[in-house]
Amino acid sequence: MQAQELMTPQERKKDEYLRRRLRGFSVTMMVMGLSFGLYYLGFFGGVEGPLEAGNIGQSLAGMGVTKKHFFTFFLSIFVFAATWNHIFNFVSHNTGSRLTCKKDPLGNGHICGSRIVKREKVQDKKTGQPVTYFTCEEGHRLREAHFHPVRKGVFSHTLWLACGTFCAIVFFLI
C-alpha cells in the first residue's frame, strides 16, 4: 500500500496544506531571486547597469530602432490579441470542428451532445441544390449542429488592452 492510503483524512489534509505552503514559498523565493538579479542589472533604476532605461534606449537607437518600429510592434500584437479568437472560430466553423449533436432522441429536452460530428454536403433530390447534413457518432443525421466558439480569457483581454495603451502612448506622447 502507498503512504497516502494509510493516512487518515486529517493527516492527508495537513499534508496537502504543507505541500501547498512549500510550493508557495518556493515560488516566492524564485521571484525574489529574479527580482534581485534584475535590480542589480539596473532594471528598476536604482543601480547603474545594462538594463537601465537610458542604456536600453541607447542600445536600441544604436540598432536603428525608431518610434515607428515600436508603434508597429505594439499595433501588430494589439490586432492579433483582439482578433485571434474570431479567426480561430471562423476557421473552426468552416472546417466543421468544435460541433456537437443537437438531436433530442427521446423528446424530453436532453440532447445527444456527441462531440464527434461530421459535416457532409449532399445534393438535394428535389431541388438539386447542395445541402449540408451533420452526422454524429450515434448515427443521428440533422441539418444543424451546435458550434462551441472559443472565447477570450483574462490574459487575452489584458494583452490587447495593454498593447492598445502602449500604441496610444507611443503615438501621442513620444
Side-chain angles (χ1 to χ4, degrees):
M1 287 190 193
Q2 293 183 358
Q4 282 282 22
E5 294 175 4
L6 298 175
M7 290 183 173
T8 65
Q10 291 84 10
E11 290 173 334
R12 231 181 270 133
K13 193 173 186 179
K14 185 178 178 183
D15 188 49
E16 290 173 10
Y17 173 76
L18 290 174
R19 286 179 191 267
R20 196 171 49 242
R21 293 292 300 215
L22 184 60
R23 189 178 311 123
F25 179 73
S26 300
V27 169
T28 301
M29 289 295 111
M30 286 189 282
V31 169
M32 189 174 77
L34 178 68
S35 297
F36 282 156
L38 289 174
Y39 173 78
Y40 286 113
L41 288 173
F43 187 72
F44 301 115
V47 175
E48 295 246 354
L51 296 181
E52 194 175 7
N55 293 341
I56 292 174
Q58 288 175 354
S59 298
L60 290 174
M63 289 187 275
V65 177
T66 64
K67 174 182 165 182
K68 290 180 184 179
H69 290 102
F70 275 108
F71 183 74
T72 306
F73 174 72
F74 287 123
L75 185 64
S76 61
I77 293 176
F78 171 76
V79 169
F80 176 74
T83 62
W84 73 267
N85 69 316
H86 300 292
I87 295 167
F88 181 80
N89 287 335
F90 178 75
V91 171
S92 295
H93 192 271
N94 286 341
T95 59
S97 60
R98 303 188 58 79
L99 299 171
T100 56
C101 181
K102 291 176 70 172
K103 178 74 173 176
D104 185 4
L106 302 176
N108 60 359
H110 298 316
I111 62 170
C112 170
S114 174
R115 301 283 284 165
I116 302 173
V117 177
K118 294 181 183 173
R119 178 188 293 189
E120 52 186 272
K121 290 190 178 186
V122 296
Q123 199 165 12
D124 192 3
K125 294 176 182 174
K126 294 179 183 175
T127 62
Q129 298 293 325
V131 179
T132 303
Y133 283 102
F134 298 94
T135 308
C136 77
E137 65 183 351
E138 301 292 326
H140 303 134
R141 192 170 190 220
L142 299 169
R143 297 280 312 264
E144 59 184 18
H146 181 71
F147 178 68
H148 298 276
V150 173
R151 290 182 175 83
K152 284 186 186 78
V154 173
F155 178 76
S156 184
H157 283 301
T158 304
L159 184 65
W160 74 258
L161 190 62
C163 287
T165 304
F166 291 150
C167 283
I169 289 170
V170 169
F171 188 74
F172 292 113
L173 299 179
I174 297 178

